[in-house]
Amino acid sequence: MQRAHHVIVLPIFIATICTSAFLLFSVQPMFAKMVLPTLGGAPAVWAVSLCFFQVMLVAGYGYAHLLERYLAPKLALVFHLALLALALAALPIGLPAISAAAAPDRAYLWLITILCLGVGLPFFVLSANAPLLQAWFGRSGHIESSDAYFLYAASNAGSLTALLAYPLLIEPLLGLTTQSRIWAVGFALLGALIAACGWSTLRELPARATAPRKSSADLPGLGFGNWKDRLTWAGLSFIPSGLLVALTTFVTTDIAAVPLLWVVPLALYLGTFIVAFQRKPPISRRFLLGLQPVAIAITIATMDWDAGLAWAISCLAGIAAFLATSLLCHRQLYEQRPGAERLTEYYLWMSIGGSAGGIFSALIAPQIFTNLLEFPLLLGLGMLCRFGGDTSAVLGKRWPLAASTLAALAVLVAVITTLTRGGMIAWTPQMRVSVLAGLGMAMVVTYRWITPQLVATAALVLGAVLLPDGNKPIHVARTFFGTHRVIEPPGAAFRILLHGTTLHGAQRIADYRLTGTRPLP
């Protein structure tokens, strides 16, 4: 009987984790699509929604950590099932009544409010399941229970299935009302599966299962070493999460804000977790270390170039850079995983870093940057993952040389920018691309030398941020609905209005100088 119980424990946990992840990641595009028409199809709808879901993930992981730390397993199971029942009473999911009103000028706050009221509680409960179920499995007595982290790959497999199924099957075949009702049925089924997982754990080890949680004195403390671990986990999660939002914004700005394009970067992001959280990853670290600087150099050099195929090249290179960086970061996370007693804490700090990255790219960057500068900044930070994020140990006594070299390059860039704006240098977009390509080449060829490569990386990012693009900027504005620019290309007879790299209008310069107003149609 005991042996038969062990046989079914792992399949039950895998089925429960996959079901929870499927529901968690199918509700994200479903609810964002409900909101999309009200906000005019802006790419920021998905960026802000993704940021909200990441913050709710932190709340769910924090809740799971508190349950594991302070409640006995039986009481934790009862409490969690009660919260599931409360969330079930709020279903099916739909837009709250206040969404009928027109969105106010502050679209960010309006969207976050709608997300909280419409999907907040069910998503919060679902987000706690991955770490909670892994912790329960760790006490199940199963032969694999000593290292439950492999179940995180199963969780991400369920998430990936949902993301692929939504644009290809669910959205084309089912209306939003039907989707919401079927999702509610799946949520009820999940409650039964979670009860089965909890029962199997309590049944297997009654002596350990009914014992109270360790006191704070028995658990890892707040020493410097522990905080270094926590900040490392958060930092390694921050970069891929921020890149996910930045890449999605970059791609959808010039095409369309539709679920199919939303889920592709997120599916790739989840795929990196599946690949990285394996005992023997299928992609070698050496290959990723070679791919990363090449992809980053091409992305940064071409992302603002308006040549024929430049945007497509930049997108493909950006996806490759995103994948390589995320795989390196997530593999570092896996290799630095703690023992089972700190499992929920580990996932909590991962989620904190992930939500911070999402907040930076979705909410903070649009307020401080007029262009999509967060993308090259995060790509540059991603190069630190090659060294585990500890640059002080890597540079050692060489940091004065690196700092002085970078300062000299910063002065050179500032001089070029000043002379260009003063009309003393005829700077063109091709010159900008050439300089960035040269810096990118330097970053690639110095891969054997740590200090020169870090300096070249910093110089490349600095150039992307500060070097003028060669077009005379008349007006630049970045809002919830995207980045709009009015520019005057060198030698052109027109001023043009761009949204991203998409042309939306043109005006003869001669007509403007003659009348001083916008010409009538």
Side-chain angles (χ1 to χ4, degrees), residues 340-492:
E341 71 280 356
R342 299 184 69 188
L343 184 145
T344 54
E345 180 190 9
Y346 169 75
Y347 284 121
L348 173 61
W349 282 95
M350 277 179 56
S351 66
I352 289 173
S355 66
I359 290 172
F360 170 73
S361 291
L363 300 180
I364 297 176
Q367 308 303 319
I368 61 177
F369 301 138
T370 55
N371 292 318
L372 197 65
L373 297 181
E374 62 270 22
F375 196 23
L377 285 173
L378 288 166
L379 288 174
L381 283 176
M383 290 291 289
L384 299 180
C385 300
R386 302 165 70 84
F387 320 112
D390 192 357
T391 52
S392 60
V394 171
L395 289 175
K397 296 182 179 180
R398 293 169 291 185
W399 70 265
L401 175 62
S404 58
T405 304
L406 187 59
L409 290 171
V411 171
L412 179 60
V413 170
V415 169
I416 292 174
T417 303
T418 302
L419 294 177
T420 300
R421 291 177 177 174
M424 302 177 67
I425 295 180
W427 191 262
T428 65
Q430 290 73 22
M431 293 172 66
R432 172 187 165 89
V433 172
S434 298
V435 171
L436 293 179
L439 292 173
M441 183 66 70
M443 183 180 71
V444 172
V445 300
T446 55
Y447 73 97
R448 291 181 179 272
W449 301 279
I450 295 173
T451 303
Q453 186 176 59
L454 287 177
V455 171
T457 301
L460 177 62
V461 174
L462 190 67
V465 172
L466 297 180
L467 281 176
D469 64 4
N471 294 310
K472 182 180 178 182
I474 307 300
H475 175 74
V476 180
R478 185 175 182 182
T479 67
F480 183 88
F481 301 98
T483 300
H484 300 85
R485 295 180 296 154
V486 178
I487 63 173
E488 186 177 311

Side-chain angles (χ1 to χ4, degrees), residues 264-277:
V264 170
L266 185 54
L268 294 175
Y269 174 77
L270 293 174
T272 63
F273 275 114
I274 296 173
V275 172
F277 273 63

Side-chain angles (χ1 to χ4, degrees), residues 49-62:
S49 298
L50 193 59
C51 173
F52 168 82
F53 292 132
Q54 288 172 328
V55 172
M56 291 302 297
L57 199 67
V58 174
Y61 280 18

